[in-house]
Every structure is written in C-alpha cells, then in structure tokens.
C-alpha cells in the first residue's frame, strides 16, 4: 500500500536564542529528520534564533502581536505567512507570546511545544525560562525533565508526546538545572517531530500512542 502522507513543512516559533531550533535544523542536516524547515517566526527583531535562520538560509519573519491594535489583523497576517510558505506543522520553541486561537485550531494535532519540566508540574502561565527551574528547586522536587506536547487552547496542557526525566542534584542552581534540561530538550524535540513526520502518532483523547 502506498502512503499518501504529506511531507512535513515546519514553522518554528521562537523568541530567544533558538538552541532548540538549532537542534531541529541539525537533525535535518544530519539526515536524521526528513522534514523541511520552511519558516522561522519570531516576535523579536534581535532574537538569536534569527541569526541561526540566516546562517542556515531559512526564511524568517518577525511579527510582534503587541504592535497590532487588533488581534484579528495579526492573526490574518500570521496565517497568510504560514500559508505562503506551505507550512503544515508548527513547533513552538521558547515562543513567549500566546498563539491566537484560530491558529491553534488550524493546526490542531499539528502543533508541538517544548517545556523545560515534567508537565503537568511546573507549567502553565508564568512558568517560563529560569522561573520554571527556580520553582522546581524551591519545591524540593528530586526530578525535573523536559516535555514535548501538543498545543491546545491553554498554556502547557495539551497531550504529551515525549517526556524525559532529569535528576535534580543537591548543588543545582536554576542555571545548572536549566543547562542539563536543555540538553535533553535538544534530543527529544527532533525525536518528537520524527514521530509526526513518519505518521506514527496516534492521538486518543489525552493519550498519544507511538506506532512502531
Ligand atoms: C527552552 O527551555 C524551552 O523549553 C522553552 O524555552 C526555552 C527556549 O530555549 N520553551 P532556546 O531559545 O531554544 O534556546
């Protein structure tokens, strides 16, 4: 039986340094991940992720939702860019703006996010960057980790695709824990995308089953 699966054309949304974007692009360039990184979207003109896009010849756009008086106009423009680049899948990688509901709906089941903790712990609104790792240490949790999940209408609540634990060490600072979790992120985000690129994800309610 021939499979009629669409090649995955990915847009990566990022506001920061873009090290996760880099891990995805590296996996593609190594031949480990057979997708096209079609577009990088950022809300900040000085985001490190844009330099990485330039180096790799990946098209990018900067759209700051805050500079639009009406969210609807921003949403239309964003959807227009995604469409004109043939984007059929989205990976959020440290994107610090809420994704408009219409965009979430359009990419339902085809939009992932990575979070630097084991969801549902230490997630949700306000849990980003070092705040996450600080909260893990303050709570006295002995394990943290990274989670790749599908995006739904809320923050960090969608079905989990891959999760990997990272041990919290007694001498950890938020920075040292963040650095170890980030290494895990760089490994599991390309893995999660590969599952979707190969059509091996089966979503049943909140559960994501990965076919062999
Ligand atoms: C990562 O820790 C990711 O989990 C979170 O934002 C950070 C982005 O880092 N959502 P980078 O820009 O990919 O280096």
């Amino acid at each position: 039986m021939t499979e009629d699966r669409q090649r995955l054309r990915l847009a990566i949304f990022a506001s920061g340094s873009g090290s996760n974007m880099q891990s995805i692009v590296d996996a593609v360039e190594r031949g480990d991940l057979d997708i096209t990184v079609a577009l990088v979207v950022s809300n900040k003109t000085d985001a490190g992720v844009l330099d990485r896009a330039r180096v790799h010849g990946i098209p990018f756009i900067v759209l700051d939702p805050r500079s639009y008086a009406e969210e609807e106009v921003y949403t239309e423009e964003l959807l227009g860019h995604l469409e004109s680049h043939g984007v059929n899948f989205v990976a959020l990688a440290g994107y610090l703006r809420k994704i408009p509901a219409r965009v979430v709906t359009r990419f339902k089941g085809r939009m992932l996010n990575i979070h630097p903790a084991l969801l549902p712990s230490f997630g949700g609104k306000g849990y980003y960057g070092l705040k996450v790792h600080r909260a893990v240490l303050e709570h006295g949790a002995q394990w943290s980790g990274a989670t790749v999940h599908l995006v739904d209408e809320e923050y960090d609540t969608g079905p989990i695709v891959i999760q990997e634990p990272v041990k919290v060490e007694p001498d950890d600072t938020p920075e040292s824990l963040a650095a170890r979790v980030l290494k895990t992120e760089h490994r599991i985000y390309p893995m999660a995308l590969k599952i979707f690129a190969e059509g091996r994800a089966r979503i049943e309610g909140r559960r994501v089953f990965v076919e062999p």
Side-chain angles (χ1 to χ4, degrees), residues 30-55:
R30 275 200 311 271
D32 288 346
L33 180 59
D34 191 17
I35 64 169
T36 300
V37 180
L39 185 65
V40 166
V41 177
S42 188
N43 59 307
K44 288 175 76 178
T45 45
D46 60 349
V49 72
L50 300 180
D51 294 326
R52 297 181 195 265
R54 281 187 198 98
V55 167

Side-chain angles (χ1 to χ4, degrees), residues 102-176:
R102 273 181 62 211
V103 180
V104 174
T105 305
R106 178 78 59 91
F107 288 90
K108 189 165 193 299
R110 293 179 292 131
M111 185 185 291
L112 298 179
N113 181 42
I114 188 151
H115 185 76
L118 294 179
L119 292 174
S121 292
F122 308 109
K125 196 165 165 57
Y127 281 101
Y128 61 88
L130 284 177
K131 290 180 195 225
V132 176
H133 306 290
R134 211 170 281 134
V136 168
L137 294 178
E138 275 168 11
H139 193 85
Q142 298 189 357
W143 289 90
S144 190
T147 304
V148 179
H149 64 93
L150 284 153
V151 174
D152 63 12
E153 295 71 20
E154 306 298 325
Y155 281 106
D156 300 331
T157 56
I160 291 168
V161 181
I162 298 185
Q163 240 176 354
E164 201 175 296
V166 171
K167 185 93 183 85
V168 177
E169 301 296 346
D171 56 354
D172 260 330
T173 60
E175 289 79 7
S176 66

